[in-house]
């Protein structure tokens, strides 16, 4: 019997940038910017691990493959990020399960940690219908074994699996909001409802009265442009539903 290949070194990225209007909100670092920018870093880490020049992933048959997020957990510290300040970002990738990858991103300022984002993704592709409701599990050729994820990522992975099973059983709670996402604003380049949109919808359904400390999103599905989302539940645990079932559970907490 041949031995299994040894894991490669964990792909990692580091960068520094100066904070401008795009990166900030009235409370400090912008949640929407963090999700978008660090989501791109997650995909860049995967491309680097697979030896690819970009994130336009394709499977062995040439079909487009997407690294779709299963779960994200954003934590923000009490430290203040200021306009014109400089921050450093460190990101690393790991194996969460045979079909899921995870990354941890830490944003640090002169006084210490400002934000930490944990992200877990799996590879999906559209079937012949092209509908976002009918996404298929896929693989990315050339991706080597990676080091096993640490405790926080594995804990997020376990919560994501438990939450996805529970969401299929129903009981979302009282209705809070109905809305139809806009293709030009809320969907990404491959036609999927972009993952930061879920957090924006949660904020719209239950507006924060202050600075965010934690937002954890478990993604359970997607929907097609033109379809409606229903948001239900109490402020701290919102559930998003589409025409064919649950889309996400979103937990949030403000700074005291």
């Amino acid at each position: 019997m041949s031995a299994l290949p040894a894991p490669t070194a964990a792909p990692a990225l580091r960068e520094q940038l100066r904070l401008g209007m795009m990166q900030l909100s009235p409370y400090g670092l912008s949640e929407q910017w963090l999700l978008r920018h660090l989501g791109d870093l997650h995909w860049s880490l995967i491309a680097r691990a697979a030896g690819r020049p970009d994130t336009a992933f394709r499977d062995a048959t040439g079909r487009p493959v997407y690294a779709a997020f299963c779960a994200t957990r954003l934590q923000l510290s009490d430290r203040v990020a200021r306009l014109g300040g400089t921050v450093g970002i460190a990101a690393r990738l790991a194996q969460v399960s045979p079909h899921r990858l995870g990354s941890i991103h830490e944003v640090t300022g002169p006084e210490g940690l400002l934000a930490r984002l944990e992200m877990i993704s799996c590879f999906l592709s559209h079937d012949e219908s092209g509908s976002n409701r009918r996404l298929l599990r896929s693989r990315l050729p050339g991706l080597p074994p990676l080091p096993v994820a640490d405790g926080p990522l594995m804990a997020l992975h376990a919560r994501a699996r438990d939450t996805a099973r529970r969401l299929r059983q129903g009981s979302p709670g009282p209705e809070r909001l109905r809305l139809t996402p806009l293709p030009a604003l809320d969907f990404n380049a491959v036609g999927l409802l972009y993952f930061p949109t879920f957090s924006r919808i949660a904020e719209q359904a239950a507006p924060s009265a202050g600075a965010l400390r934690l937002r954890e999103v478990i993604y359970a599905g997607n929907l097609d442009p033109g379809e409606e989302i229903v948001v239900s539940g109490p402020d701290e645990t919102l559930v998003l539903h589409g025409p064919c079932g649950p889309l996400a559970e979103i937990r949030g907490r403000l700074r005291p």
Side-chain angles (χ1 to χ4, degrees), residues 209-222:
L212 184 72
R213 168 164 283 181
L214 169 71
R215 181 106 66 193
E216 180 172 296
V217 185
I218 307 301
Y219 306 88
N222 214 280

Side-chain angles (χ1 to χ4, degrees), residues 70-155:
C70 310
T72 58
R73 180 180 176 85
L74 174 63
Q75 300 172 80
L76 295 164
S77 78
D78 293 333
R79 298 183 179 94
V80 178
R82 292 182 172 84
L83 187 65
T86 300
V87 297
I89 300 175
R92 63 185 187 275
L93 189 69
Q95 196 83 41
V96 171
S97 75
H99 301 288
R100 293 187 174 189
L101 300 177
S103 62
I104 294 178
H105 309 254
E106 293 182 337
V107 183
T108 306
E111 298 177 356
L113 187 67
L114 295 171
R116 176 185 171 96
L117 178 63
E118 299 158 14
M119 317 183 83
I120 296 175
S121 68
C122 63
F123 294 109
L124 300 175
S125 63
H126 282 107
D127 69 4
E128 291 76 9
S129 72
S131 173
N132 292 341
R133 299 183 187 181
R134 300 175 60 179
L135 297 167
L136 306 174
R137 181 180 292 178
S138 189
R139 291 181 179 273
L140 182 64
L143 191 64
L146 297 173
V148 176
D150 61 8
L153 276 174
M154 298 305 288

